[in-house]
Amino acid sequence: MFKHSLLVLLVSGFLVTRASGETLPGRLNVAQPQSTVVTLYSDKALISQTFNARPDGQGRLAIAGLPINWLDGSLNLEYIDAETVYRPADVFWYQGGLDRDNYYRNLVGKNVELIGGGLNVAIQGKLVSYQQGIGLVEGNNGRQYFIDYHDPQGLRILSRAVTEGLGENLKYVQADFGRQPVSGPLKLSYITPQLSYDSHYRLTLLSHNQGRLALKTLITNSSSVSYEQATIRLVAGGEGSVPGFYRKSRMPEASIMADAGDYAERVGEVLLTTLPKDTVLPANSRQLMDLFSEALHLEKLYTLDVYGRSTGGRTFMAERPRLTWKFVAPLDLPPAQVRMYESDPDGGYIISGHSWLSKTTAGDNAWLTMGEALAVRVERNRLDVEQKSVKELLVKWQATVSNDQKDSISLLIRERDPNLIKIDSVKGATLEKPDLLRVEVAGDTSKTIHFTAKYRH
C-alpha cells in the first residue's frame, strides 16, 4: 500500500501528458489506458489493456503504475498492426520496483535533508551509505548522523536531488523496441494476485419440495488501482475450476440478477461471464454481487452407501444415511460451496447444512449431499452367505429403516462394492438400478426389507 502510493505520487511528475491527452513518447502509465479488460480467477486476475503510447527516439518505453506484486513472468507487450506484431527485444526493471530500500539506495552519494529525531532545524548533508533501513549521512556541519528506519522516532531523510536525477528510479519497467518502426495500438497484459473472486450458492427452502438457488460472488480488489471503465469477466470451469456460470439460450424463463447471464458464453471448455458494463472495482475494496437466482423443484432423499463384501459373519450394523437434495440444473452450474437455509419457528433463517456442488450441465441432475440424518436410521443384518461357485458369492440381507419424523421419506441404498454382479429377490423396496434400492417409509414408522446380493468371489 505504501509502496504503490509513493509510486503514484512520484510518477505523476514524470508522466507529463500532451494537451490532447496522449502521453509523451517513451512514457506510459497503466492508469491511462484506451481500454481495459479484467479477467478474474479464484486466485488472480489477468489484466489486458491497450494504449496509444509510442517508444522514444531510441526505441525505449518506460512503464509506470503496475501493481506492486504483479507476476514477473506474465508481462507481455506488443504492438499489433493487422497481421504484423512488434515485440520488445528486452524488458528490464529493478527487483522490487520502487520500494523504500530501492529508492534510498539510489540516493547514496546525493544531497539529502535530515528531519525529525529531536532536531530543531533541518540538517543538510550527503547520504554516504544505506542498506535495509540503516543509513549514514555526513552533514554539511561536519557531523555524521545515523539513520534507522526501524526506530519510529528516529531521523528521516528528504531528497534534495533534482527531479531529473530521480527519473531513472521511477522508470522501473523499461521496454526496448530497438529501431523497428512500430505501428498499431500497444497491447499490454500481466497477471496480478491482488484481484480475485470467490463464488458460493445459497439454497433456500421455501416450502415442501420448493426452493431457490442463488449464486453469489465476492470480488476482491486489494490493489491501489481502481477499474472504473473496464470490461470485467469471470472465468469458470478452466484453471482451478473457478466458479462462474453460463446461461443456455433454451432456458428463457431463468431469472438472472443484474443481467449477468446476457453476457455469458462458452469459450472452449470454460464458461465466461461478463459483468454489467457499469460494474466498478474500486481500489482496496470488496463487493458481493448476485449473479442469478432460480426457483427449483427439490427432491428430498436420504442416501446410504454400503460395501457388502467387506462385512464378515452375521454382523448387525446401525447406520445413519445422509440427507441429499436432488434437482434438475436450470443452467450450467459451476462448482462451488453450497449453504442451505431453512426457516426457523420464529420466522428467521438458520443454516441447516453445507455441501459442494460439482460442475453440472444444464438439464442434468444435481445432487447436494448434506450431513448425517437425525431422525432416520438403518439397521442392516447379514442373514446368510452361500458360495454359489468358485467365482460367485451370494449374500442375503435384511435392513430395517426407521423414520422418526412426521413426513414420509425416500431412502436410496447403493451397493458400492466393485465386485457386485447384481441385486435381486428384493422385498419391501424397489430396485432402481443394478446397484441401487429405493425404500419408501411413512412418517413415524419403520420398514423392513430383504434382498440378496451376488458378488464375484
Side-chain angles (χ1 to χ4, degrees), residues 104-164:
Y104 287 118
R105 277 197 299 268
N106 282 280
L107 289 180
V108 173
K110 295 182 173 62
N111 293 326
V112 296
E113 194 169 74
L114 294 177
I115 60 174
L119 293 176
N120 294 324
V121 295
I123 302 296
Q124 298 186 15
K126 180 180 294 185
L127 180 64
V128 296
S129 178
Y130 180 87
Q131 185 174 9
Q132 296 181 347
I134 305 298
L136 184 64
V137 173
E138 289 185 350
N140 294 343
N141 58 6
R143 301 181 63 182
Q144 292 186 334
Y145 296 88
F146 182 75
I147 310 299
D148 184 358
Y149 274 88
H150 304 290
D151 178 5
Q153 304 299 323
L155 294 169
R156 292 296 183 262
I157 301 174
L158 293 178
S159 171
R160 301 199 61 202
V162 294
T163 302
E164 291 76 13

Short mmCIF file of all heavy atoms in Angstrom, two decimals, residues 104-164:
data_model
loop_
_atom_site.label_atom_id
_atom_site.label_comp_id
_atom_site.label_asym_id
_atom_site.label_seq_id
_atom_site.Cartn_x
_atom_site.Cartn_y
_atom_site.Cartn_z
N TYR A 104 15.94 4.71 -1.51
CA TYR A 104 17.01 5.32 -0.72
C TYR A 104 18.40 4.83 -1.14
O TYR A 104 19.37 5.58 -1.02
CB TYR A 104 16.77 5.07 0.77
CG TYR A 104 15.64 5.91 1.31
CD1 TYR A 104 14.51 5.31 1.84
CD2 TYR A 104 15.69 7.30 1.26
CE1 TYR A 104 13.46 6.07 2.32
CE2 TYR A 104 14.65 8.07 1.73
CZ TYR A 104 13.52 7.45 2.26
OH TYR A 104 12.49 8.21 2.72
N ARG A 105 18.49 3.61 -1.64
CA ARG A 105 19.80 3.17 -2.15
C ARG A 105 20.24 4.04 -3.32
O ARG A 105 21.43 4.31 -3.50
CB ARG A 105 19.73 1.69 -2.58
CG ARG A 105 19.91 0.70 -1.44
CD ARG A 105 20.25 -0.69 -1.97
NE ARG A 105 19.19 -1.21 -2.82
CZ ARG A 105 18.19 -1.97 -2.39
NH1 ARG A 105 18.10 -2.26 -1.10
NH2 ARG A 105 17.27 -2.43 -3.20
N ASN A 106 19.27 4.49 -4.12
CA ASN A 106 19.60 5.34 -5.26
C ASN A 106 19.91 6.77 -4.84
O ASN A 106 20.32 7.58 -5.68
CB ASN A 106 18.46 5.33 -6.28
CG ASN A 106 18.47 4.09 -7.14
OD1 ASN A 106 19.23 3.98 -8.11
ND2 ASN A 106 17.62 3.13 -6.78
N LEU A 107 19.71 7.10 -3.57
CA LEU A 107 20.07 8.42 -3.07
C LEU A 107 21.49 8.46 -2.51
O LEU A 107 21.98 9.54 -2.14
CB LEU A 107 19.09 8.85 -1.97
CG LEU A 107 17.67 9.21 -2.42
CD1 LEU A 107 16.84 9.62 -1.21
CD2 LEU A 107 17.69 10.34 -3.45
N VAL A 108 22.15 7.30 -2.42
CA VAL A 108 23.53 7.27 -1.90
C VAL A 108 24.42 8.16 -2.78
O VAL A 108 24.42 8.05 -4.01
CB VAL A 108 24.06 5.83 -1.84
CG1 VAL A 108 25.55 5.83 -1.47
CG2 VAL A 108 23.26 5.01 -0.84
N GLY A 109 25.16 9.06 -2.13
CA GLY A 109 26.02 9.98 -2.84
C GLY A 109 25.34 11.28 -3.24
O GLY A 109 25.98 12.16 -3.80
N LYS A 110 24.03 11.40 -2.95
CA LYS A 110 23.28 12.60 -3.33
C LYS A 110 22.97 13.45 -2.09
O LYS A 110 23.04 12.98 -0.95
CB LYS A 110 22.00 12.21 -4.05
CG LYS A 110 22.24 11.51 -5.38
CD LYS A 110 20.91 11.19 -6.06
CE LYS A 110 21.14 10.64 -7.46
NZ LYS A 110 21.89 9.39 -7.49
N ASN A 111 22.63 14.70 -2.35
CA ASN A 111 22.31 15.62 -1.27
C ASN A 111 20.95 15.30 -0.66
O ASN A 111 19.98 15.06 -1.39
CB ASN A 111 22.32 17.06 -1.78
CG ASN A 111 23.70 17.51 -2.20
OD1 ASN A 111 24.69 17.09 -1.60
ND2 ASN A 111 23.78 18.34 -3.23
N VAL A 112 20.89 15.28 0.67
CA VAL A 112 19.65 14.99 1.38
C VAL A 112 19.46 15.99 2.51
O VAL A 112 20.37 16.76 2.83
CB VAL A 112 19.66 13.55 1.94
CG1 VAL A 112 19.72 12.51 0.83
CG2 VAL A 112 20.81 13.37 2.92
N GLU A 113 18.29 15.94 3.12
CA GLU A 113 17.97 16.79 4.25
C GLU A 113 17.43 15.92 5.38
O GLU A 113 16.59 15.04 5.14
CB GLU A 113 16.93 17.82 3.83
CG GLU A 113 16.76 18.97 4.80
CD GLU A 113 15.90 20.07 4.19
OE1 GLU A 113 14.67 19.85 4.09
OE2 GLU A 113 16.44 21.12 3.80
N LEU A 114 17.92 16.13 6.58
CA LEU A 114 17.51 15.36 7.75
C LEU A 114 16.47 16.13 8.54
O LEU A 114 16.62 17.33 8.79
CB LEU A 114 18.70 15.07 8.65
CG LEU A 114 19.80 14.15 8.09
CD1 LEU A 114 20.93 14.02 9.08
CD2 LEU A 114 19.24 12.78 7.77
N ILE A 115 15.40 15.39 8.95
CA ILE A 115 14.37 15.99 9.79
C ILE A 115 14.02 14.99 10.89
O ILE A 115 14.38 13.82 10.83
CB ILE A 115 13.10 16.35 8.99
CG1 ILE A 115 12.51 15.09 8.35
CG2 ILE A 115 13.39 17.40 7.95
CD1 ILE A 115 11.17 15.33 7.67
N GLY A 116 13.29 15.44 11.89
CA GLY A 116 12.83 14.57 12.95
C GLY A 116 13.92 14.20 13.92
O GLY A 116 15.01 14.79 13.94
N GLY A 117 13.66 13.19 14.75
CA GLY A 117 14.66 12.69 15.68
C GLY A 117 15.11 13.70 16.71
O GLY A 117 16.24 13.64 17.20
N GLY A 118 14.27 14.68 17.04
CA GLY A 118 14.63 15.68 18.03
C GLY A 118 15.36 16.89 17.48
O GLY A 118 15.72 17.79 18.25
N LEU A 119 15.58 16.94 16.16
CA LEU A 119 16.26 18.10 15.57
C LEU A 119 15.34 19.31 15.57
O LEU A 119 14.16 19.22 15.21
CB LEU A 119 16.69 17.79 14.13
CG LEU A 119 17.77 16.72 13.94
CD1 LEU A 119 18.01 16.48 12.45
CD2 LEU A 119 19.06 17.13 14.62
N ASN A 120 15.87 20.43 15.95
CA ASN A 120 15.09 21.67 15.94
C ASN A 120 14.99 22.27 14.55
O ASN A 120 14.00 22.91 14.20
CB ASN A 120 15.69 22.70 16.91
CG ASN A 120 15.59 22.24 18.35
OD1 ASN A 120 14.61 21.61 18.73
ND2 ASN A 120 16.60 22.56 19.15
N VAL A 121 16.04 22.08 13.78
CA VAL A 121 16.06 22.57 12.39
C VAL A 121 16.55 21.46 11.50
O VAL A 121 17.22 20.52 11.94
CB VAL A 121 16.99 23.81 12.24
CG1 VAL A 121 16.44 24.98 13.04
CG2 VAL A 121 18.41 23.47 12.68
N ALA A 122 16.19 21.53 10.21
CA ALA A 122 16.64 20.52 9.25
C ALA A 122 18.14 20.62 9.04
O ALA A 122 18.72 21.72 9.02
CB ALA A 122 15.90 20.70 7.93
N ILE A 123 18.79 19.46 8.90
CA ILE A 123 20.23 19.37 8.65
C ILE A 123 20.45 18.91 7.23
O ILE A 123 19.87 17.90 6.79
CB ILE A 123 20.91 18.38 9.63
CG1 ILE A 123 20.67 18.81 11.07
CG2 ILE A 123 22.40 18.29 9.31
CD1 ILE A 123 21.29 20.13 11.44
N GLN A 124 21.29 19.63 6.51
CA GLN A 124 21.59 19.24 5.14
C GLN A 124 22.92 18.51 5.09
O GLN A 124 23.82 18.77 5.88
CB GLN A 124 21.62 20.48 4.24
CG GLN A 124 20.28 21.20 4.19
CD GLN A 124 20.27 22.34 3.20
OE1 GLN A 124 21.16 22.43 2.35
NE2 GLN A 124 19.27 23.18 3.30
N GLY A 125 22.99 17.54 4.15
CA GLY A 125 24.22 16.77 4.03
C GLY A 125 24.15 15.83 2.85
O GLY A 125 23.39 16.04 1.89
N LYS A 126 24.95 14.74 2.92
CA LYS A 126 25.05 13.77 1.82
C LYS A 126 24.89 12.37 2.41
O LYS A 126 25.50 12.04 3.43
CB LYS A 126 26.39 13.89 1.11
CG LYS A 126 26.56 12.90 -0.06
CD LYS A 126 27.91 13.07 -0.73
CE LYS A 126 28.00 14.43 -1.42
NZ LYS A 126 29.26 14.57 -2.17
N LEU A 127 24.03 11.54 1.74
CA LEU A 127 23.86 10.16 2.17
C LEU A 127 25.05 9.35 1.65
O LEU A 127 25.23 9.21 0.44
CB LEU A 127 22.54 9.60 1.62
CG LEU A 127 22.21 8.14 1.98
CD1 LEU A 127 22.03 7.98 3.49
CD2 LEU A 127 20.94 7.68 1.25
N VAL A 128 25.86 8.80 2.54
CA VAL A 128 27.07 8.08 2.13
C VAL A 128 26.87 6.57 2.14
O VAL A 128 27.64 5.84 1.51
CB VAL A 128 28.26 8.46 3.03
CG1 VAL A 128 28.59 9.94 2.87
CG2 VAL A 128 27.98 8.14 4.50
N SER A 129 25.85 6.07 2.87
CA SER A 129 25.64 4.62 2.92
C SER A 129 24.18 4.35 3.30
O SER A 129 23.58 5.08 4.09
CB SER A 129 26.57 3.96 3.95
OG SER A 129 26.33 2.57 4.02
N TYR A 130 23.61 3.29 2.71
CA TYR A 130 22.25 2.88 3.07
C TYR A 130 22.08 1.40 2.76
O TYR A 130 22.49 0.93 1.70
CB TYR A 130 21.19 3.68 2.32
CG TYR A 130 19.79 3.25 2.70
CD1 TYR A 130 19.15 3.82 3.80
CD2 TYR A 130 19.14 2.24 2.00
CE1 TYR A 130 17.88 3.39 4.18
CE2 TYR A 130 17.88 1.81 2.37
CZ TYR A 130 17.25 2.38 3.46
OH TYR A 130 16.01 1.95 3.84
N GLN A 131 21.48 0.66 3.69
CA GLN A 131 21.19 -0.76 3.45
C GLN A 131 20.13 -1.23 4.44
O GLN A 131 20.28 -1.10 5.65
CB GLN A 131 22.45 -1.62 3.61
CG GLN A 131 22.22 -3.09 3.24
CD GLN A 131 23.52 -3.88 3.27
OE1 GLN A 131 24.55 -3.38 3.71
NE2 GLN A 131 23.47 -5.11 2.81
N GLN A 132 18.99 -1.75 3.91
CA GLN A 132 17.93 -2.37 4.70
C GLN A 132 17.48 -1.50 5.88
O GLN A 132 17.43 -1.94 7.02
CB GLN A 132 18.37 -3.75 5.20
CG GLN A 132 18.62 -4.74 4.08
CD GLN A 132 19.05 -6.10 4.57
OE1 GLN A 132 19.39 -6.27 5.74
NE2 GLN A 132 19.00 -7.08 3.70
N GLY A 133 17.16 -0.25 5.59
CA GLY A 133 16.64 0.64 6.61
C GLY A 133 17.67 1.33 7.46
O GLY A 133 17.32 2.12 8.34
N ILE A 134 18.95 1.07 7.23
CA ILE A 134 20.04 1.69 8.01
C ILE A 134 20.87 2.57 7.08
O ILE A 134 21.29 2.13 6.01
CB ILE A 134 20.96 0.64 8.66
CG1 ILE A 134 20.14 -0.33 9.51
CG2 ILE A 134 22.03 1.32 9.49
CD1 ILE A 134 19.42 0.32 10.67
N GLY A 135 21.08 3.85 7.47
CA GLY A 135 21.84 4.74 6.62
C GLY A 135 22.77 5.64 7.43
O GLY A 135 22.64 5.77 8.66
N LEU A 136 23.72 6.25 6.72
CA LEU A 136 24.67 7.18 7.35
C LEU A 136 24.74 8.43 6.50
O LEU A 136 24.95 8.37 5.28
CB LEU A 136 26.05 6.54 7.45
CG LEU A 136 27.11 7.39 8.16
CD1 LEU A 136 26.74 7.60 9.63
CD2 LEU A 136 28.49 6.73 8.04
N VAL A 137 24.55 9.59 7.15
CA VAL A 137 24.57 10.88 6.48
C VAL A 137 25.73 11.71 7.04
O VAL A 137 25.89 11.81 8.26
CB VAL A 137 23.25 11.63 6.66
CG1 VAL A 137 23.33 13.05 6.09
CG2 VAL A 137 22.11 10.86 6.01
N GLU A 138 26.53 12.29 6.14
CA GLU A 138 27.56 13.25 6.53
C GLU A 138 26.97 14.65 6.38
O GLU A 138 26.69 15.10 5.26
CB GLU A 138 28.81 13.10 5.67
CG GLU A 138 29.59 11.83 5.95
CD GLU A 138 30.89 11.78 5.17
OE1 GLU A 138 31.07 12.64 4.27
OE2 GLU A 138 31.71 10.89 5.43
N GLY A 139 26.75 15.33 7.52
CA GLY A 139 26.16 16.65 7.48
C GLY A 139 27.14 17.70 7.00
O GLY A 139 28.37 17.57 7.13
N ASN A 140 26.58 18.75 6.41
CA ASN A 140 27.43 19.86 5.97
C ASN A 140 28.08 20.59 7.15
O ASN A 140 28.99 21.39 6.96
CB ASN A 140 26.60 20.85 5.14
CG ASN A 140 26.14 20.25 3.83
OD1 ASN A 140 26.67 19.23 3.38
ND2 ASN A 140 25.13 20.87 3.21
N ASN A 141 27.60 20.26 8.36
CA ASN A 141 28.19 20.87 9.56
C ASN A 141 29.36 20.07 10.11
O ASN A 141 29.87 20.34 11.19
CB ASN A 141 27.11 21.03 10.64
CG ASN A 141 26.46 19.70 11.00
OD1 ASN A 141 26.88 18.64 10.54
ND2 ASN A 141 25.42 19.76 11.83
N GLY A 142 29.78 19.01 9.35
CA GLY A 142 30.92 18.21 9.78
C GLY A 142 30.58 17.04 10.68
O GLY A 142 31.47 16.26 11.03
N ARG A 143 29.32 16.86 11.05
CA ARG A 143 28.92 15.76 11.91
C ARG A 143 28.29 14.64 11.08
O ARG A 143 27.81 14.86 9.96
CB ARG A 143 27.94 16.24 12.98
CG ARG A 143 28.50 17.35 13.87
CD ARG A 143 27.48 17.77 14.92
NE ARG A 143 27.16 16.67 15.82
CZ ARG A 143 26.27 16.76 16.81
NH1 ARG A 143 25.60 17.91 17.00
NH2 ARG A 143 26.02 15.72 17.59
N GLN A 144 28.32 13.41 11.63
CA GLN A 144 27.70 12.26 10.98
C GLN A 144 26.41 11.89 11.72
O GLN A 144 26.34 11.97 12.94
CB GLN A 144 28.64 11.06 10.96
CG GLN A 144 29.86 11.24 10.06
CD GLN A 144 30.68 9.97 9.95
OE1 GLN A 144 30.66 9.12 10.86
NE2 GLN A 144 31.42 9.84 8.86
N TYR A 145 25.40 11.45 10.94
CA TYR A 145 24.11 11.12 11.51
C TYR A 145 23.71 9.71 11.10
O TYR A 145 23.76 9.35 9.91
CB TYR A 145 23.05 12.12 11.04
CG TYR A 145 23.31 13.53 11.53
CD1 TYR A 145 24.12 14.40 10.78
CD2 TYR A 145 22.76 13.99 12.73
CE1 TYR A 145 24.37 15.68 11.22
CE2 TYR A 145 23.00 15.28 13.16
CZ TYR A 145 23.82 16.12 12.41
OH TYR A 145 24.05 17.39 12.85
N PHE A 146 23.33 8.93 12.10
CA PHE A 146 22.94 7.52 11.88
C PHE A 146 21.42 7.46 11.70
O PHE A 146 20.65 7.93 12.53
CB PHE A 146 23.37 6.68 13.09
CG PHE A 146 23.06 5.22 12.94
CD1 PHE A 146 23.83 4.42 12.11
CD2 PHE A 146 22.01 4.63 13.64
CE1 PHE A 146 23.56 3.07 11.98
CE2 PHE A 146 21.73 3.28 13.52
CZ PHE A 146 22.51 2.49 12.68
N ILE A 147 20.99 6.84 10.58
CA ILE A 147 19.57 6.74 10.25
C ILE A 147 19.11 5.30 10.47
O ILE A 147 19.72 4.36 9.96
CB ILE A 147 19.30 7.13 8.78
CG1 ILE A 147 19.96 8.47 8.45
CG2 ILE A 147 17.81 7.17 8.50
CD1 ILE A 147 19.45 9.61 9.29
N ASP A 148 18.05 5.11 11.25
CA ASP A 148 17.49 3.77 11.48
C ASP A 148 15.97 3.85 11.28
O ASP A 148 15.24 4.36 12.11
CB ASP A 148 17.81 3.30 12.91
CG ASP A 148 17.32 1.87 13.14
OD1 ASP A 148 16.71 1.29 12.22
OD2 ASP A 148 17.55 1.35 14.26
N TYR A 149 15.50 3.31 10.13
CA TYR A 149 14.08 3.39 9.83
C TYR A 149 13.24 2.42 10.66
O TYR A 149 12.01 2.45 10.62
CB TYR A 149 13.83 3.14 8.33
CG TYR A 149 13.96 4.42 7.54
CD1 TYR A 149 15.20 4.83 7.04
CD2 TYR A 149 12.86 5.23 7.30
CE1 TYR A 149 15.32 6.01 6.33
CE2 TYR A 149 12.97 6.41 6.60
CZ TYR A 149 14.21 6.80 6.11
OH TYR A 149 14.32 7.98 5.41
N HIS A 150 13.91 1.53 11.44
CA HIS A 150 13.17 0.66 12.35
C HIS A 150 12.83 1.39 13.64
O HIS A 150 12.04 0.89 14.44
CB HIS A 150 14.00 -0.59 12.67
CG HIS A 150 14.41 -1.35 11.44
ND1 HIS A 150 13.51 -2.06 10.68
CD2 HIS A 150 15.63 -1.50 10.83
CE1 HIS A 150 14.14 -2.62 9.66
NE2 HIS A 150 15.42 -2.30 9.73
N ASP A 151 13.40 2.56 13.84
CA ASP A 151 13.10 3.39 15.00
C ASP A 151 12.05 4.42 14.60
O ASP A 151 12.35 5.35 13.84
CB ASP A 151 14.37 4.09 15.49
CG ASP A 151 14.12 5.01 16.68
OD1 ASP A 151 12.98 5.04 17.18
OD2 ASP A 151 15.07 5.71 17.08
N PRO A 152 10.80 4.29 15.07
CA PRO A 152 9.75 5.22 14.63
C PRO A 152 9.98 6.67 15.05
O PRO A 152 9.40 7.59 14.47
CB PRO A 152 8.47 4.66 15.30
CG PRO A 152 8.98 3.86 16.46
CD PRO A 152 10.31 3.31 16.04
N GLN A 153 10.84 6.90 16.03
CA GLN A 153 11.12 8.26 16.49
C GLN A 153 12.45 8.78 15.96
O GLN A 153 12.92 9.84 16.37
CB GLN A 153 11.15 8.30 18.03
CG GLN A 153 9.87 7.79 18.68
CD GLN A 153 8.66 8.60 18.30
OE1 GLN A 153 8.75 9.82 18.17
NE2 GLN A 153 7.53 7.94 18.13
N GLY A 154 13.07 8.02 15.05
CA GLY A 154 14.41 8.39 14.58
C GLY A 154 14.41 9.43 13.49
O GLY A 154 13.37 9.98 13.09
N LEU A 155 15.61 9.71 12.97
CA LEU A 155 15.78 10.68 11.89
C LEU A 155 15.20 10.15 10.59
O LEU A 155 15.19 8.95 10.34
CB LEU A 155 17.27 10.99 11.71
CG LEU A 155 17.97 11.72 12.87
CD1 LEU A 155 19.47 11.72 12.65
CD2 LEU A 155 17.44 13.14 13.00
N ARG A 156 14.78 11.08 9.73
CA ARG A 156 14.27 10.73 8.42
C ARG A 156 14.97 11.57 7.36
O ARG A 156 15.43 12.69 7.62
CB ARG A 156 12.75 10.96 8.35
CG ARG A 156 11.95 10.00 9.24
CD ARG A 156 12.11 8.55 8.77
NE ARG A 156 11.32 7.63 9.54
CZ ARG A 156 11.79 6.91 10.55
NH1 ARG A 156 13.06 7.05 10.92
NH2 ARG A 156 11.02 6.05 11.19
N ILE A 157 15.01 11.02 6.11
CA ILE A 157 15.73 11.65 5.01
C ILE A 157 14.74 12.23 4.01
O ILE A 157 13.77 11.58 3.63
CB ILE A 157 16.64 10.64 4.28
CG1 ILE A 157 17.65 10.02 5.24
CG2 ILE A 157 17.34 11.30 3.10
CD1 ILE A 157 18.45 8.92 4.61
N LEU A 158 15.00 13.44 3.55
CA LEU A 158 14.29 14.03 2.42
C LEU A 158 15.30 14.26 1.30
O LEU A 158 16.38 14.80 1.53
CB LEU A 158 13.64 15.35 2.81
CG LEU A 158 12.49 15.30 3.82
CD1 LEU A 158 12.00 16.72 4.10
CD2 LEU A 158 11.36 14.45 3.28
N SER A 159 14.94 13.83 0.10
CA SER A 159 15.85 14.02 -1.02
C SER A 159 15.90 15.48 -1.46
O SER A 159 14.87 16.16 -1.50
CB SER A 159 15.42 13.16 -2.21
OG SER A 159 16.17 13.48 -3.35
N ARG A 160 17.12 15.94 -1.77
CA ARG A 160 17.28 17.27 -2.34
C ARG A 160 17.76 17.19 -3.78
O ARG A 160 18.13 18.19 -4.37
CB ARG A 160 18.28 18.08 -1.51
CG ARG A 160 17.88 18.24 -0.06
CD ARG A 160 18.62 19.39 0.58
NE ARG A 160 18.31 20.65 -0.12
CZ ARG A 160 19.08 21.72 -0.08
NH1 ARG A 160 20.24 21.68 0.60
NH2 ARG A 160 18.76 22.83 -0.72
N ALA A 161 17.76 15.99 -4.34
CA ALA A 161 18.18 15.82 -5.73
C ALA A 161 17.14 16.39 -6.66
O ALA A 161 15.93 16.38 -6.36
CB ALA A 161 18.40 14.33 -6.03
N VAL A 162 17.56 16.88 -7.82
CA VAL A 162 16.63 17.44 -8.80
C VAL A 162 15.80 16.30 -9.39
O VAL A 162 16.19 15.14 -9.39
CB VAL A 162 17.39 18.19 -9.91
CG1 VAL A 162 18.09 19.41 -9.35
CG2 VAL A 162 18.40 17.26 -10.60
N THR A 163 14.61 16.64 -9.92
CA THR A 163 13.69 15.63 -10.44
C THR A 163 14.33 14.78 -11.52
O THR A 163 14.17 13.57 -11.58
CB THR A 163 12.43 16.32 -11.00
OG1 THR A 163 11.83 17.08 -9.97
CG2 THR A 163 11.44 15.29 -11.53
N GLU A 164 15.12 15.43 -12.40
CA GLU A 164 15.75 14.65 -13.48
C GLU A 164 16.68 13.59 -12.92
O GLU A 164 16.86 12.54 -13.51
CB GLU A 164 16.52 15.58 -14.42
CG GLU A 164 15.64 16.51 -15.26
CD GLU A 164 15.09 17.65 -14.44
OE1 GLU A 164 15.59 17.88 -13.32
OE2 GLU A 164 14.16 18.33 -14.93
#
